[in-house]
Amino acid sequence: LERHLPLAITTVDADQAPATNPQSLQDLLDPVPGVFTLNQDNAAQGLRLSIRGFGSRSAFGVRGVQVLLDGVPLTLPDGQTELDALDLDQIGKLRVLRGPSATLFGNAAGGVVLLESRGPPGQGSVGLNMQASRFGGRRFRIAGGGDGLQGAYLVNRLEGFRHHANTESELLNVSWKNLLEDGSLSLQLSALDITADDPGGLTRAQAEAKRRAASPRNLQFDAGEHIQQQRTALRWETHAGEWAIGATTYAGRRAFENRLPFQGGGQVRFLRYFGGAGLHASRVLNGHQLGFGMDLQAQQDDRQRFDNNNGRRGNRTLDQVERARSAGIFLRDTFRIARDWEASLGIRHDRLQLGVDDAFLADGDDSGSRQVPDWSADASVAHWVGDHYAYARLASSFETPTINELANPAGGGFNPSLSSAQALTRELGIRGELPRGHYSAALYRINVRDELLPFQLPAQPGRTFYRNAGKTSRSGLEMTGVWRPATYWQLDGSLNLARYRFLGGNLAGNRLPGLPERNLRLAVQYQLNSMKSALILRNVGPLFADDANTTSVNGYSLVDLQAEWRPGTHAVIQLGIDNLMDRDYFDNIRINAFGGRYFEPAPGRTYRLSVRLSL
C-alpha cells in the first residue's frame, strides 16, 4: 500500500509500538506526524483526533477524518465517527493516510485511519487480560477463538482523575473469517454499553485552584451520557480473472442519552439507525491500474430534547427525525509515464442529502431538507530510485457539517447559514528504506474556504454550535524515522512543524485554536530475550483556546515509561508509568467555550499494571 499511494502514509504495528498496552487510540496514533489528539481521559466527550488541523473543531468524536475497521467504515454519512466501540487489544496494525483522500474515501478532508484487526488464531485458545491503574482504573478482558472465529468481552471501570469522571463500559466483539478458494468472506458483530460522567471544562482560575475539580454546573446538572450500540458488518473480497473486487455492507443501532450543564433543552435522547454498502473494483488494463467504486450510506436519528432540571428530565423542547443519506462514485487511474515514473489521476462525486421532520410544532414547523453535492479530484506524479520514493500531489477535498453540527442556534431544524468547507492541497513528499531503518518527510500547503468553527451561547453553556469562518491556510513539515543502531536497540521519532492561520476578515493573521504548531516525539526501545522497555518523550507546543487568540495555553513536555516481561510462553506482565515527571498540563481544550471554561486538566503521574495469560 505504501509503495503505490502518492501521499503521506504511516504504518504502525501494534506489536512493535512502544505502548504495548494502549489505553486509547491516541497511544497507537502517537508516532504519526501531523496527527494531534486531545481528550483521552473524558469518555463522555471521546477522543478528539485531528490530521493537519482537520477535526480539531469537534466537540466530541471525530470529524473530517474517515475511519475504517477491516475495510468497513466506522464513519457515518455526515462525517461523524465514534470510537467508543473499538477493542484496542484486537487492533494489530493501523495505517494513517495524511492529507485529502476524498477521491478514495469521500468526506475525508484531513485523511483516513485504516485499522486492521489481528487475524483469528489457527488453533483454539483463550486469553485473559487484567489491569489495574491509578485513579480507580480496573479492566478485565477475556478473549478466545480458533479456526477463523474469535471473540472478546471487555469490562472497564474508571473513577477518573477528576471528580464526576466515572466511566463504566462493557464491549463484546465477535468476528469470523472464512478463506475461500478465490478470496475471503468475513463477518463482524459488536455490542457496546457505556455510562460516563462529564466533569466539564474549568476556567483558568478554577483549574489553578483545584485541578481535580469538576465544573460546578456539571455537578449541578449531573452532566454525563449513556450509550448502547449494536453493529454488524459483512465483507467479501475476491479475484475474478483480472479483477480484484471488494464488497461491504453494514448496519447498526445506537441509543443515546445525555445531560448537558444547562436547563433549557439540556437533556438529549436519540435512537439512531445507520447502515451502508460499498463496492470497489480494480484491474490492470493496457498498462493502466484502474480503480472505481461506489459507496452508499444512510442514517436516521429520532431526536428529542428536554429540560434538564438539576439532572432530572423535564418538559420536552424538541422532537424531530433527522435523516442523512450519502452516495459517492469514484474513478482512479495510475499509469507509467517513463521508467521509474508514475502518474495518478482521480475524480469523485458525492451527494449528501439531509432532512428534518419536525414533530414539535409548539414553536413552529422547522421541517426541511438540504442537499450538499461535492466534487473532489487529485493528480500526482511519483518517482522512485531503488528503495526511495518521491511524489508531488495536488488534491481537492471537502468536509460537510454533521447532523449535530447543523443544529440551529435559533431553534429546531438546520442552521440555514452553514455550508461545507472546501480545501485545496499541494504536497511534496519522500520516503525510503535505509540499511538500519526507514524515513519519510512531507511538505504541504492547504487553503480552506468556509472553515467550520465552534462557538457557544450564554443560555446553553456546554452545547456547541458551528459557523463558517471565511478562509484559512495550513502549511507544515512532517518528518518521521526509525533507526536500529544495534541488535537490541531502536530509536524512532516524529516531528511536525506547522502554521495554521485565518485569512481575511476580523480574524486575519490569528492562529486556528486548539492546535499546536510544534509537536515532537522521541522513543527509545530496548529488547532482550523476554524483556522489553521503552522511554517516550513528547513535546507539544503552545496553542490558543479561542478564535480571537486572547487565551493562550502553554505547551508541555511529557515522559512515559513502558516495560514488558514474558516469564513464559503463556504470560505477559506489563508496567506503564504515564507522565513520569508529574507535569501539569491539559488533556483537553474546549474551543471557544462560553465563560472561559476551556480547560480540562490531565492526570498527574499514572501507574498501570497488567497481566496477560493465554491458555
Side-chain angles (χ1 to χ4, degrees):
L1 181 63
E2 288 86 343
R3 175 80 175 188
H4 299 289
L5 282 181
L7 49 73
I9 179 171
T10 300
T11 299
V12 177
D13 188 326
D15 291 329
Q16 301 300 320
T20 54
N21 191 13
Q23 302 304 295
S24 80
L25 194 60
Q26 173 179 305
D27 292 328
L28 295 176
L29 292 168
D30 205 35
V32 184
V35 174
F36 181 62
T37 55
L38 285 171
N39 207 38
Q40 177 175 238
D41 296 302
N42 185 344
Q45 298 293 316
L47 185 71
R48 183 194 300 168
L49 161 65
S50 66
I51 301 179
R52 294 181 176 176
F54 292 97
S56 63
R57 76 179 194 273
S58 174
F60 60 90
V62 179
R63 309 289 189 270
V65 175
Q66 289 277 328
V67 184
L68 288 83
L69 175 62
D70 297 328
V72 180
L74 299 182
T75 303
L76 295 173
D78 63 353
Q80 174 182 336
T81 309
E82 301 290 352
L83 301 174
D84 42 28
L86 284 178
D87 181 354
L88 297 175
D89 288 328
Q90 188 56 31
I91 304 299
K93 184 179 293 185
L94 65 82
R95 291 185 172 94
V96 180
L97 282 58
R98 308 190 304 279
S101 306
T103 56
L104 285 171
F105 298 98
N107 194 355
V112 180
V113 178
L114 303 174
L115 304 171
E116 298 179 18
S117 297
R118 302 178 188 274
Q123 298 179 348
S125 65
V126 176
L128 301 176
N129 184 2
M130 297 162 285
Q131 176 180 291
S133 61
R134 193 183 178 191
F135 309 119
R138 300 291 184 271
R139 187 176 175 187
F140 174 80
R141 181 179 186 267
I142 182 170
D147 194 25
L149 178 67
Q150 59 182 333
Y153 174 66
L154 174 66
V155 178
N156 187 53
R157 302 285 188 270
L158 179 65
E159 293 178 9
F161 166 69
R162 298 176 61 196
H163 300 154
H164 197 67
N166 293 341
T167 300
E168 298 183 4
S169 65
E170 295 179 74
L171 175 62
L172 175 66
N173 276 315
V174 178
S175 64
W176 170 79
K177 187 169 186 177
N178 185 23
L179 297 178
L180 307 175
E181 183 177 346
D182 56 355
S184 65
L185 181 66
S186 58
L187 175 68
Q188 302 172 10
L189 300 170
S190 69
L192 167 73
D193 191 309
I194 181 171
T195 300
D197 294 332
D198 183 2
L202 303 176
T203 66
R204 191 188 297 274
Q206 290 171 331
E208 291 175 350
K210 191 174 182 180
R211 296 181 58 80
R212 301 191 65 172
S215 167
R217 295 185 65 94
N218 284 55
L219 292 175
Q220 176 186 350
F221 292 99
D222 192 23
E225 67 181 24
H226 179 225
I227 301 169
Q228 291 181 318
Q229 177 175 294
Q230 303 83 38
R231 180 186 177 97
T232 183
L234 186 67
R235 180 166 175 81
W236 174 59
E237 296 177 291
T238 188
H239 291 274
E242 299 294 327
W243 291 95
I245 302 172
T248 302
T249 183
Y250 67 95
R253 173 186 180 275
R254 187 178 180 91
F256 175 91
E257 295 183 0
N258 78 345
R259 300 172 303 279
L260 298 172
F262 55 87
Q263 182 181 16
Q267 291 202 21
V268 179
R269 179 178 69 188
F270 69 73
L271 180 61
R272 170 178 296 160
Y273 292 97
F274 59 91
L279 177 65
H280 298 181
S282 64
R283 68 164 296 174
V284 177
L285 181 64
N286 297 328
H288 292 257
Q289 177 72 47
L290 299 174
F292 66 90
M294 62 180 298
D295 299 291
L296 303 172
Q297 290 183 293
Q299 76 181 78
Q300 176 174 298
D301 293 3
D302 186 355
R303 185 182 303 271
Q304 297 159 339
R305 301 188 73 95
F306 305 85
D307 288 337
N308 185 356
N309 296 328
N310 295 329
R312 297 185 303 275
R313 180 170 296 172
N315 294 329
R316 183 176 304 181
T317 62
L318 180 142
D319 189 348
Q320 61 188 31
V321 176
E322 304 164 344
R323 301 180 307 277
R325 296 181 176 88
S326 69
I329 185 169
F330 71 88
L331 175 66
R332 290 193 63 81
D333 183 18
T334 301
F335 52 93
R336 190 72 60 88
I337 55 177
R339 181 181 177 182
D340 300 332
W341 287 87
E342 192 174 72
S344 295
L345 300 171
I347 189 169
R348 180 177 177 120
H349 179 68
D350 287 271
R351 181 175 293 273
L352 174 64
Q353 295 181 320
L354 300 166
V356 168
D357 292 329
D358 190 359
F360 186 78
L361 304 180
D363 56 354
D365 188 351
D366 292 309
S367 301
S369 63
R370 290 184 62 177
Q371 289 194 4
V372 186
D374 284 290
W375 286 93
S376 52
D378 68 65
S380 62
V381 60
H383 175 60
W384 60 89
V385 179
D387 292 327
H388 305 274
Y389 179 92
Y391 64 89
R393 187 167 186 254
L394 178 68
S396 65
S397 60
F398 65 95
E399 184 178 9
T400 64
T402 69
I403 286 181
N404 289 332
E405 293 167 351
L406 278 165
N408 191 350
F414 289 140
N415 183 346
S417 62
L418 199 62
S419 60
S420 297
Q422 306 289 330
L424 180 65
T425 298
R426 289 146 287 181
E427 180 177 339
L428 298 172
I430 186 171
R431 57 180 175 263
E433 298 290 331
L434 300 171
R436 291 182 175 270
H438 56 83
Y439 72 94
S440 69
L443 185 68
Y444 66 89
R445 167 84 179 200
I446 306 173
N447 289 335
V448 182
R449 175 168 48 89
D450 292 331
E451 183 86 47
L452 294 161
L453 287 176
F455 68 95
Q456 294 185 357
L457 296 174
Q460 303 181 63
R463 186 183 181 192
T464 302
F465 299 96
Y466 289 84
R467 62 185 177 86
N468 293 112
K471 298 180 180 180
T472 65
S473 71
R474 307 155 192 253
S475 55
L477 171 65
E478 301 164 348
M479 302 175 66
T480 184
V482 174
W483 180 44
R484 303 178 186 88
T487 303
Y488 308 117
W489 292 91
Q490 176 174 303
L491 306 177
D492 64 85
S494 61
L495 174 66
N496 181 57
L497 300 174
R499 189 176 189 273
Y500 307 119
R501 292 292 189 274
F502 288 102
L503 301 177
N506 296 332
L507 299 175
N510 285 9
R511 286 176 50 177
L512 269 65
L515 293 168
E517 296 191 339
R518 182 189 71 251
N519 203 338
L520 170 68
R521 177 188 180 275
L522 297 171
V524 181
Q525 296 187 64
Y526 178 78
Q527 184 170 0
L528 177 62
N529 299 326
S530 61
M531 300 291 295
K532 178 180 179 181
S533 61
L535 192 67
I536 306 167
L537 168 67
R538 286 181 289 153
N539 176 262
V540 177
L543 52 85
F544 287 98
D546 59 336
D547 296 344
N549 289 181
T550 58
T551 302
S552 61
V553 183
N554 292 333
Y556 55 88
S557 294
L558 299 177
V559 178
D560 298 336
L561 176 66
Q562 305 280 345
E564 179 180 288
W565 176 44
R566 295 177 179 266
T569 58
H570 299 288
V572 181
I573 299 174
Q574 296 172 323
L575 172 67
I577 305 178
D578 299 330
N579 193 5
L580 182 65
M581 308 306 292
D582 201 25
R583 302 297 189 193
D584 289 345
Y585 70 105
F586 296 108
D587 174 60
N588 187 33
I589 299 298
R590 299 198 177 200
I591 299 172
N592 294 330
F594 177 75
R597 291 185 282 269
Y598 307 113
F599 305 99
E600 293 195 52
R605 185 183 297 112
T606 304
Y607 309 93
R608 290 182 283 107
L609 177 65
S610 70
V611 177
R612 299 187 182 202
L613 302 174
S614 58
L615 308 174

